[in-house]
Amino acid sequence: MSLSLLIDIASGALLLAGCLLVVSGAVGLLRLPDFYTRTHAGSLTDAAGATLLLLGLLLQADGWQSGVRLVLIMLFLLVTSPTAAHALAQAARRDGERLPAGDDEGRR
Amino acid sequence: MLAAAVIALLVAMALTLVRAFVGPRLYNRLLAINVFGTKTVLFISVVGVLSGRPYIFDIALLYALVNFVSTIAVLRLTHLDELLPSSDEGTAR
């Protein structure tokens, strides 16, 4: 098994996993009943799917310049996506976004 | 394989757009737009590798930052009193 074949297989597998996560996140965003569960679905698969996808791309990137750019994109996404999701959920919680009906913790 | 990734990303973006239109109030739409922005970053990166243009990754990098800043800016717009650290914390939460 030559190295390039191995790299192709690895990047294919990573891309496939990333794509599955991305699509499952989008479906979760649509089907989940409540805002907080959607935040969970949206941001979780965002961070993980993006990382896997970009790792798959990294293996196929030719030259270290584009590789560095891809790593930078991955780092920024890893830092900003959870932070944005947290800020969103906190703002929604403060604004009295309804919690799921089953929750009896004091709701405004 | 990259073409499959492009198609998957387009499907995910379409579903996210549906949530953006349907979303009952501000927060579902804001979440959908934030997720859509991240998908755009991924889409640009995949197309960059697919079409052999490595200089496109700078655009994806910038868009990742702009997307984050715009989400926080909209939150700041709708929550001027709460998000300001200098505001008096004594008010009843």
Side-chain angles (χ1 to χ4, degrees):
Chain A
M1 268 246 271
S2 68
L3 184 60
S4 70
L5 183 62
L6 207 60
I7 286 182
D8 281 348
I9 290 175
S11 80
L14 282 172
L15 279 173
L16 187 65
C19 289
L20 284 180
L21 270 173
V22 158
V23 173
S24 70
V27 168
L29 207 62
L30 263 182
R31 282 179 54 86
L32 287 172
D34 178 67
F35 167 72
Y36 296 103
T37 44
R38 282 184 210 128
T39 317
H40 173 70
S43 66
L44 191 64
T45 55
D46 239 1
T51 311
L52 286 178
L53 222 112
L54 287 168
L55 277 179
L57 287 181
L58 200 58
L59 291 178
Q60 293 191 353
D62 45 5
W64 62 273
Q65 293 91 350
S66 52
V68 164
R69 287 194 183 100
L70 280 173
V71 167
L72 269 179
I73 292 176
M74 194 161 59
L75 281 181
F76 280 139
L77 277 183
L78 270 180
V79 169
T80 53
S81 154
T83 317
H86 173 71
L88 203 60
Q90 190 199 11
R93 179 76 184 95
R94 276 169 186 262
D95 208 8
E97 184 80 15
R98 276 190 319 285
L99 285 165
D103 180 88
D104 50 14
E105 189 248 339
R107 279 191 311 255
R108 263 194 301 274
Chain B
M1 194 56 209
L2 283 174
V6 165
I7 293 168
L9 277 170
L10 285 177
V11 165
M13 286 158 103
L15 293 177
T16 312
L17 268 185
V18 167
R19 170 50 59 193
F21 285 123
V22 162
R25 282 176 308 284
L26 165 69
Y27 292 105
N28 292 299
R29 292 196 173 95
L30 205 53
L31 172 68
I33 291 166
N34 185 22
V35 168
F36 186 83
T38 316
K39 297 296 183 288
T40 318
V41 170
L42 294 178
F43 183 75
I44 296 173
S45 310
V46 171
V47 164
V49 171
L50 196 62
S51 60
R53 289 186 176 80
Y55 45 82
I56 271 185
F57 295 144
D58 304 340
I59 301 175
L61 195 60
L62 275 176
Y63 195 79
L65 296 174
V66 165
N67 180 35
F68 172 64
V69 168
S70 63
T71 306
I72 300 298
V74 171
L75 282 184
R76 180 58 74 93
L77 192 66
T78 58
H79 279 79
L80 201 56
D81 52 351
E82 280 138 4
L83 287 179
L84 282 184
S86 64
S87 72
D88 47 4
E89 287 306 320
T91 58
R93 277 287 176 271

